Amino acid sequence: MAFPGWTTLKLATVSLIEHPLRTLLTSLGIIIGVAAVYSMLAIGEGSRREILERMNGIDARSMSVYPDWSRRGRASKRRPWRPFSERDLEDIRLIPGVFAATGSLSKEVPVVNEKSDWSAQMQGIDLDYMRANDLVLVAGEPITASDIERREPVVVIGQTVVRTLFRGQDPVGTRIKLNNIPFTVKGVLGEINSEGFSNRDRDNIMLVPRTTARNRIIGGNYLVRDHISGLEIVAENQDDMTRIEREVGDILRLSRGLKPGEAPDYRIFNFSANRQAAAKSKRTLSLLLAAMGAVSLLVGGVGVMNIMLVSVTERTREIGLRMALGARQSDILWQFLTEALLLSIFGGLAGLGLGYAMSRFSLSMDDITMVFSLDIAMFAFGSALVIGVVFGFLPARRAAGLNPIEALRHE
Amino acid sequence: MADSETLICCENLTKVYHQGQSEIRALDDVSFTIHAGEFVAIVGASGSGKSTLMNMLGGLDQPSSGEVYVDGVALSTLNSRQLAQFRNETVGFVFQQFQLLPKKTALQNVKLPLHYRRPRPDGETKMAEASLARVGLGDRTGHRPTELSGGQQQRVAIARALVGAPRLLLADEPTGALDSVTSADVMRLLQELNGQGLTILLITHDRDVAAYAGRVITFLDGKILSDKMNTTETQRARQR
């Protein structure tokens, strides 16, 4: 049953052109189906990429730990606000799969140089801080292990501080006073991406060795030696987040002397859990939409079959005549199959156009990202073709199986 | 006639239809021979089996028993593909209701059988134009059936039957839908074509129409009632 070529194609094309309205109405189901499948997949792919982008970012792999002071109960039974210690941090760094673990010990402090004064967030850091927060230097040197060990008065400043204090001068090597204590500017941070941190200027920051910060600016804590107010942990891999969260909990319970069953006096914020849930719901949504698209394609296919069956009945005499004139059964089969195929090609192309237009329109809407992808277009178009062949086959076979004598007598 | 080539040979043709419990013998043990170049009319009342016979000769229907030989080939040995080729190359059909495709021009209608010829012949348009000219419609090639009279439509149908240069023309009541004047026109055309050497088998219930043929086979209840040569006198009378 080799495809008999151009004659059949011409025949089918002519037959479709001779009935333009019927052709359009028949393809309508396919058009809408393909448009739906295309745009749903494009939306799905769009949100998938969006999520993927975020997941691969460092934010998606990090969790924060803070002491919890909001527990209920009698005041006398509440535990004091108890910070973490450098010891906790060292233990956490040993958990397999931890990419970076850092602490924060910060305070808003006045900062001055000869020309101006300002106020910025001082952050006492360790060696993991820069990479845990994805920070880069644009000038000077980073804070080193020996700076931390020797409690050096050195500082790395953010762009806002550079702008307000230096106004175009090179800050590296100059001296500034933090809380009236002289520090040497060792390096300058690049612009920090503050997307998602509303109303906070992340560039208004000064990094100093945590040892320096603790000893010379913030002061010690009466409960904890070498205290840290918050922890931030970045996993190498997002899949490990849950396990790392559990192990962090174990370490903290032990160091804070919590009895089994006792409520923790700290809180772990695992951002990835929220994100995963969001990603899951978006995936479910796009699956649902694609299923709807598939259903409309199916309905479109039934529409094609319906019209093709009507067409076969309508043209029974023509089929009988063609057979009497020497058409083989396969000629007739191909004639109708080609017609169904052309219908779905036409419907598929028009549907892609409509889907594309819809996706352009969606660009003006928030919250929906559509991706233009050849793969998706080809998939949507391909499913239209499959639908055409599958649903065109039954009518075509019915046409080919007609008895020419009865077909010729058909009124 | 006796020394000319045998084109059709029917041997003990029987066709039985089952309608519920009853059995209908449309053809009952029919045997006859037609030579190349003959113009034969099969005459009979409706239900006499003449249409069944034509369908069998045209390869559209199979006998319950017996055999049809056309040009020496037993039709029962052909598969459906070979039968399609047989209908395309050996036979030309003319129907009572013309059976033209209404949306196509005369030329396109005439070209139709050539679509199914393998290999596709060169110059299909020229062949179709020549065929239309042969039936006297060389100037009507671009007309659609609705723009033609009944007689002209039947001529287009005859041109379509002729375009593939068949050995045998099967005409089933070709004048059934025409008035008597137009009928005479069409019959004279068939006589003319027969004069050019074409073998014609005409099915009709009308003895006046049958009189144009050289030989009349009369059917009654699936059997041959008579098989007579028309005298040249009666034929000539019709030609006037």
Side-chain angles (χ1 to χ4, degrees), chain A residues 7 11 14 18-19 317-318 321-331 335 404-405 408-409, chain B residues 55 60-61 80-81 84-85 87-88 93 95 97 99 101 103-104 112-113 115-116 118 120 160:
Chain A
T7 319
L11 203 67
V14 167
E18 278 171 356
H19 305 93
R317 285 224 304 189
E318 177 189 330
L321 172 73
R322 286 180 185 275
M323 285 176 156
L325 296 182
R328 302 170 180 179
Q329 287 188 334
S330 62
D331 291 329
Q335 181 186 341
I405 300 167
L408 276 167
R409 277 199 213 116
Chain B
N55 289 334
L60 291 171
D61 201 357
S80 75
R81 184 164 278 225
Q85 189 185 359
R87 290 196 289 268
N88 185 253
F93 283 99
F95 305 97
Q97 296 299 333
Q99 306 282 15
L101 298 183
K103 298 217 171 195
K104 313 269 183 209
L112 208 54
H115 286 318
Y116 299 112
R118 287 178 184 79
R120 291 288 294 274
R160 180 180 62 194

Side-chain angles (χ1 to χ4, degrees), chain A residues 92-366:
Chain A
I92 286 167
R93 280 204 189 103
L94 295 178
I95 298 172
V98 169
F99 169 75
T102 187
S104 76
L105 191 64
S106 63
K107 190 181 182 186
E108 174 116 5
V109 294
V111 50
V112 296
N113 66 355
E114 301 85 40
K115 287 171 189 158
S116 38
D117 59 321
W118 184 244
S119 172
Q121 191 75 20
M122 179 208 66
Q123 179 67 271
I125 70 160
D126 51 50
L127 284 178
D128 268 6
Y129 190 85
M130 296 272 286
R131 61 177 185 151
N133 288 282
D134 229 2
L135 303 180
V136 286
L137 286 179
V138 291
E141 302 284 324
I143 287 165
T144 62
S146 84
D147 289 337
I148 293 167
E149 201 183 319
R150 292 167 165 181
R151 304 172 189 175
E152 296 283 358
V154 290
V155 62
V156 168
I157 56 179
Q159 286 294 325
T160 304
V161 181
V162 174
R163 267 197 301 277
T164 48
L165 290 188
F166 293 95
R167 299 199 180 105
Q169 275 175 277
D170 182 12
V172 177
T174 62
R175 297 192 138 236
I176 56 174
K177 282 185 174 176
L178 273 68
N179 227 8
N180 248 338
I181 299 160
F183 277 74
T184 305
V185 176
K186 210 182 172 197
V188 175
L189 291 173
E191 199 87 37
I192 300 164
N193 171 24
S194 45
E195 195 187 311
F197 294 82
S198 53
N199 299 329
R200 223 187 91 195
D201 181 8
R202 292 183 82 201
D203 287 311
N204 193 20
I205 194 173
M206 302 178 295
L207 307 181
V208 301
R210 190 152 59 232
T211 48
T212 318
R214 192 183 293 121
N215 278 313
R216 308 199 56 178
I217 294 173
I218 291 174
N221 184 280
Y222 71 102
L223 282 172
V224 180
R225 210 176 111 84
D226 296 338
H227 73 285
I228 304 171
S229 52
L231 303 176
E232 193 159 340
I233 300 143
V234 180
E236 277 169 11
N237 201 316
Q238 212 192 12
D239 302 338
D240 295 336
M241 298 279 290
T242 319
R243 176 182 55 81
I244 290 171
E245 183 184 335
R246 207 173 52 238
E247 291 191 35
V248 168
D250 292 345
I251 288 167
L252 292 179
R253 289 189 79 88
L254 196 68
S255 85
R256 296 162 89 81
L258 296 177
K259 297 182 196 86
E262 196 177 351
D265 59 350
Y266 59 86
R267 248 186 181 175
I268 301 180
F269 296 91
N270 185 345
F271 300 119
S272 80
N274 293 337
R275 289 214 177 89
Q276 273 173 337
K280 209 173 168 187
S281 73
K282 269 198 173 176
R283 234 182 349 250
T284 315
L285 182 74
S286 72
L287 261 175
L288 189 77
L289 294 176
M292 275 167 57
V295 167
S296 49
L297 252 186
L298 207 69
V299 171
V302 172
V304 167
M305 180 159 76
N306 189 18
I307 295 290
M308 292 301 296
L309 283 172
V310 169
S311 169
V312 167
T313 311
E314 218 172 54
R315 286 149 72 186
T316 299
R317 285 224 304 189
E318 177 189 330
I319 294 162
L321 172 73
R322 286 180 185 275
M323 285 176 156
L325 296 182
R328 302 170 180 179
Q329 287 188 334
S330 62
D331 291 329
I332 302 293
L333 184 81
W334 271 111
Q335 181 186 341
F336 283 90
L337 208 53
T338 308
E339 223 168 273
L341 253 174
L342 279 180
L343 270 176
S344 41
I345 287 174
F346 168 71
L349 288 178
L352 282 186
L354 186 66
Y356 185 76
M358 275 162 65
S359 61
R360 297 304 309 207
F361 176 71
S362 82
L363 288 180
S364 59
M365 296 190 287
D366 292 340

Side-chain angles (χ1 to χ4, degrees), chain A residues 394-406:
Chain A
L394 181 76
R397 209 186 51 178
R398 173 172 291 188
L402 284 176
N403 177 337
I405 300 167
E406 282 165 20

Side-chain angles (χ1 to χ4, degrees), chain B residues 15-138:
Chain B
K15 180 73 180 181
V16 183
Y17 293 107
H18 295 279
Q19 224 166 37
Q21 295 294 315
S22 60
E23 190 184 87
I24 298 164
R25 287 186 171 261
L27 286 176
D28 192 359
D29 201 23
V30 172
S31 302
F32 63 91
T33 303
I34 292 172
H35 299 281
E38 274 194 287
F39 185 174
V40 183
I42 309 263
V43 188
S46 57
S48 61
K50 56 190 196 306
S51 284
T52 307
L53 178 71
M54 190 189 96
N55 289 334
M56 276 176 204
L57 295 180
L60 291 171
D61 201 357
Q62 284 82 44
S64 305
S65 67
E67 184 62 88
V68 180
Y69 297 90
V70 177
D71 218 5
V73 178
L75 294 191
S76 68
T77 63
L78 302 180
N79 61 27
S80 75
R81 184 164 278 225
Q82 288 164 324
L83 275 175
Q85 189 185 359
F86 165 78
R87 290 196 289 268
N88 185 253
E89 291 177 0
T90 313
V91 189
F93 283 99
V94 177
F95 305 97
Q96 179 175 2
Q97 296 299 333
F98 321 141
Q99 306 282 15
L100 300 174
L101 298 183
K103 298 217 171 195
K104 313 269 183 209
T105 63
L107 189 71
Q108 287 168 332
N109 266 293
V110 172
K111 274 161 90 169
L112 208 54
L114 301 177
H115 286 318
Y116 299 112
R117 182 152 294 192
R118 287 178 184 79
R120 291 288 294 274
D122 293 331
E124 286 176 17
T125 305
K126 281 219 168 84
M127 289 165 76
E129 278 167 355
S131 192
L132 275 168
R134 210 170 152 193
V135 299
L137 288 177

